[in-house]
């Protein structure tokens, strides 16, 4: 089925500001709450949120086989579970409804009032009920930087890294949408030069610049999927700030990997940008040397050219962009990650989320964490308000943005923005 929604000639009858992340060619999916306290599945064009539940009730999806309450839900899980054919039919139809050449909804003021909201009048929710969250570690530059700092500069990459998309199972219970503040975590750590650990607020709260992909139902327990088919099971992507407490992490991670240093919060952008919308931005990833084992081998373009940036905004001050990176730097692709994940028969369900791992580029201004940008706190980052940061201060807001751009169209994610609050205090 062709992806007619991507037609670059299309213009919407809804106003789209120039440089918007959400032209009619994007059509992401999310869940929002209206002022009338109604939760619905929706999409976005320009600065308008569109109620897909209302569109369905008004019969605008006629001819597409959908369950009656497909969009009148507080998550996208059922829709995602329906599979790629349904995603494409619905996205193509939405593009038709909002195309300037189509008078049907455009000319019906009563329906427009029911279906269309201003973004400022809705509150974005988590788009999916995330059953399982896995985080990978797939940027060679990031793994090399961390290995140099924490282990051995001569052998920064561990022997498995070039053969396995290394990952760990995270917590889905503390994944929150953009706009939700996060408390500085308490935890156990070993102060430098000491032999006895202490318990207290983390002193090195960091962000990790990541993307994440959301899957449909991939397999049943015991079965694997092929790397060549894995992309069909990926619904779309979001931006992910995988908050990390470096001092807690350093003490706890041996031998089983991150635990409480990561599970206190992970923030995501609320609109899932579909892989179909990202299709024009396919690109080749870095050459994989040595050649991976056969179950991970793939040919062609399986990475995506997504520009990413991170800014820190102190309270009552201007934001400073501190990093510019790109998803295309990732060594392991999403399809390799998913094929590897199911290679032992592990079940992956609709709404599961897989983090890319920190996305660091080759240059120091493209590193995806404070740990790397400041090289372990040695070179503080300067902000526009004259202050400097080794890690994130209380009441700082961390803002991540991402977008793709070619000569014809810009497809973006909006942002994931979240404020770090002081530690929670029991009353
Ligand atoms: Ca991470």
């Amino acid at each position: 089925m062709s992806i007619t929604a991507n037609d670059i000639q299309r213009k919407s009858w809804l106003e789209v500001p120039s440089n918007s992340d959400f032209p009619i060619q994007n059509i992401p999916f999310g869940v929002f709450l209206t002022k009338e306290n109604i939760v619905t599945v929706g999409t976005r064009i320009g600065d308008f949120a569109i109620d897909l539940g209302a569109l369905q009730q008004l019969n605008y999806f006629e001819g597409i086989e959908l369950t009656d309450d497909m969009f009148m839900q507080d998550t996208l899980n059922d829709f995602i579970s329906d599979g790629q054919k349904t995603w494409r039919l619905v996205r193509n139809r939405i593009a038709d409804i909002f195309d300037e050449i189509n008078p049907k909804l455009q000319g019906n003021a009563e329906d427009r009032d029911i279906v269309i909201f201003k973004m400022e009048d809705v509150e974005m929710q988590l788009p999916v009920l995330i059953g399982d969250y896995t985080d990978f570690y797939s940027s060679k530059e990031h793994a090399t930087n961390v290995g140099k700092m924490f282990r051995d500069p001569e052998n920064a990459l561990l022997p498995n890294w070039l053969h396995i998309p290394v990952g760990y199972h995270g917590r889905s219970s503390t994944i929150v949408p953009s706009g939700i503040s996060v408390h500085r975590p308490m935890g156990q750590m070993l102060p430098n030069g000491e032999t006895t650990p202490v318990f207290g607020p983390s002193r090195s709260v960091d962000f990790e610049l990541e993307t994440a992909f959301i899957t449909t139902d991939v397999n049943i327990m015991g079965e694997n999927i092929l790397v060549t088919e894995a992309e069909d099971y990926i619904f779309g992507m979001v931006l992910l700030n995988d908050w990390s407490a470096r001092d807690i992490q350093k003490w706890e991670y041996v031998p089983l990997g991150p635990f409480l240093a990561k599970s206190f919060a992970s923030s995501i952008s609320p609109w899932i940008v579909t892989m179909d919308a990202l299709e024009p931005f396919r690109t080749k990833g870095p050459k994989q040397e040595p050649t991976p084992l056969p179950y991970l081998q793939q040919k062609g373009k399986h990475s995506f050219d997504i520009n990413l940036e991170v800014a820190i905004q102190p309270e009552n001050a201007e934001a400073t962009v501190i990093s510019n990176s790109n998803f295309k730097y990732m060594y392991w692709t999403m399809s390799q990650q998913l094929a590897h994940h199911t290679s032992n028969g592990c079940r992956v369900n609709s709404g599961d989320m897989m983090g890319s791992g920190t996305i660091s580029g080759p240059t120091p201004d493209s590193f995806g964490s404070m740990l790397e940008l400041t090289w372990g706190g040695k070179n503080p980052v300067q902000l526009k308000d004259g202050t400097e940061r080794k890690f994130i201060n209380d009441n700082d807001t961390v803002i991540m943005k991402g977008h793709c751009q070619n000569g014809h169209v810009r497809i973006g994610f909006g942002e994931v923005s979240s404020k770090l609050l002081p530690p929670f205090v029991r009353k």
Side-chain angles (χ1 to χ4, degrees):
M1 189 194 315
S2 72
I3 310 172
T4 58
N6 288 4
D7 181 355
I8 54 167
Q9 304 301 336
R10 275 189 200 277
K11 280 202 169 67
S12 178
W13 48 268
L14 284 172
E15 192 196 330
V16 179
S18 61
N19 254 358
S20 171
D21 280 352
F22 302 99
I24 193 172
Q25 288 81 6
N26 190 338
I27 313 190
F29 292 91
V31 171
F32 62 80
L33 178 72
T34 69
K35 278 183 174 165
E36 287 77 41
N37 260 339
I38 294 166
V39 177
T40 183
V41 167
T43 186
R44 173 174 180 171
I45 295 175
D47 294 327
F48 297 99
I50 293 150
D51 182 343
L52 297 184
L55 269 183
Q56 187 184 8
Q57 275 198 315
L58 293 167
N59 236 1
Y60 283 85
F61 292 121
E62 197 184 5
I64 303 176
E65 255 183 67
L66 298 170
T67 51
D68 289 344
D69 60 347
M70 178 67 90
F71 298 122
M72 294 163 71
Q73 310 215 16
D74 54 12
T75 72
L76 278 159
N77 294 59
D78 277 6
F79 175 61
I80 295 173
S81 196
D82 237 32
Q84 195 182 55
K85 187 182 164 203
T86 302
W87 314 335
R88 285 195 178 158
L89 286 169
V90 167
R91 206 169 146 270
N92 288 345
R93 178 66 61 86
I94 295 168
D96 287 340
I97 296 168
F98 289 91
D99 193 310
E100 64 179 2
I101 62 169
N102 185 344
K104 196 176 172 195
L105 178 62
Q106 189 180 177
N108 187 330
E110 204 176 311
D111 284 4
R112 281 200 322 260
D113 275 353
I114 299 170
V115 168
I116 301 167
F117 298 82
K118 288 183 184 155
M119 274 305 297
E120 65 212 50
D121 291 336
V122 303
E123 186 184 294
M124 295 308 297
Q125 312 291 300
L126 263 191
V128 277
L129 178 66
I130 300 163
D132 274 306
Y133 161 42
T134 299
D135 196 21
F136 286 92
Y137 189 57
S138 288
S139 154
K140 190 176 175 184
E141 289 82 357
H142 172 69
T144 303
N145 288 338
V146 173
K148 278 184 189 167
M149 267 183 271
F150 284 142
R151 286 187 302 272
D152 174 5
E154 300 305 312
N155 297 289
L157 285 182
L158 287 167
N160 62 3
W161 200 93
L162 292 168
H163 301 279
I164 289 178
V166 170
Y168 72 96
H169 292 114
R171 282 295 288 186
S172 52
S173 60
T174 26
I175 299 175
V176 290
S178 180
I180 303 290
S181 300
V182 166
H183 282 286
R184 178 179 295 275
M186 304 290 289
Q188 191 181 129
M189 53 218 128
L190 185 69
N192 281 338
E194 303 286 323
T195 51
T196 313
V198 297
F199 183 84
S202 166
R203 287 179 196 159
S204 41
V205 174
D206 199 352
F207 59 82
E208 287 186 339
L209 170 62
E210 300 194 26
T211 60
F213 63 90
I214 311 287
T215 65
T216 184
D217 300 297
V218 173
N219 58 348
I220 57 170
M221 183 176 160
E223 294 188 351
N224 69 302
I225 55 144
L226 301 175
V227 68
T228 48
E229 292 168 5
E231 279 179 3
D232 295 345
Y233 297 92
I234 301 176
F235 174 63
M237 296 172 72
V238 294
L239 304 172
L240 163 64
N241 177 357
D242 187 29
W243 289 98
S244 300
R246 299 300 178 196
D247 40 8
I248 298 172
Q249 184 179 354
K250 196 175 175 188
W251 175 232
E252 75 173 3
Y253 88 103
V254 184
L256 289 184
F259 183 36
L260 303 181
K262 305 273 188 176
S263 60
F264 63 98
S266 312
S267 304
I268 63 170
S269 56
W271 293 108
I272 305 177
V273 177
T274 63
M275 296 321 295
D276 280 353
L278 296 169
E279 187 61 33
F281 301 96
R282 257 180 204 283
T283 187
K284 257 182 142 54
K287 185 171 164 55
Q288 297 185 322
E289 190 71 61
T291 304
L293 289 171
Y295 78 104
L296 293 173
Q297 285 174 15
Q298 55 183 175
K299 290 195 172 76
K301 299 175 175 178
H302 298 283
S303 191
F304 293 85
D305 183 2
I306 306 172
N307 302 292
L308 301 165
E309 69 166 53
V310 187
I312 296 177
Q313 182 170 28
E315 200 166 36
N316 303 318
E318 203 184 340
T320 306
V321 174
I322 55 162
S323 176
N324 287 282
S325 186
N326 194 303
F327 181 73
K328 70 182 177 190
Y329 298 134
M330 299 305 283
Y331 188 83
W332 294 104
T333 67
M334 294 183 283
S335 25
Q336 287 175 320
Q337 291 169 337
L338 192 52
H340 181 65
H341 205 312
T342 64
S343 62
N344 67 344
C346 173
R347 186 168 174 181
V348 175
N349 295 305
S350 171
D352 283 2
M353 188 176 106
M354 317 266 167
S356 58
T358 306
I359 303 168
S360 290
T363 55
D365 58 351
S366 62
F367 292 166
S369 64
M370 292 298 277
L371 179 71
E372 296 162 89
L373 288 163
T374 69
W375 210 256
K378 284 196 191 90
N379 314 312
V381 165
Q382 306 296 321
L383 302 186
K384 285 181 184 168
D385 68 352
T387 61
E388 55 181 38
R389 296 286 183 282
K390 290 179 177 170
F391 289 98
I392 304 302
N393 284 3
D394 287 349
N395 300 311
D396 283 350
T397 300
V398 176
I399 305 161
M400 296 176 179
K401 296 182 183 181
H403 76 275
C404 310
Q405 176 89 58
N406 61 22
H408 307 289
V409 71
R410 173 186 172 114
I411 301 290
F413 292 80
E415 63 179 33
V416 53
S417 162
S418 38
K419 187 174 184 176
L420 182 66
L421 299 175
F424 169 74
V425 180
R426 281 182 71 97
K427 300 241 162 51

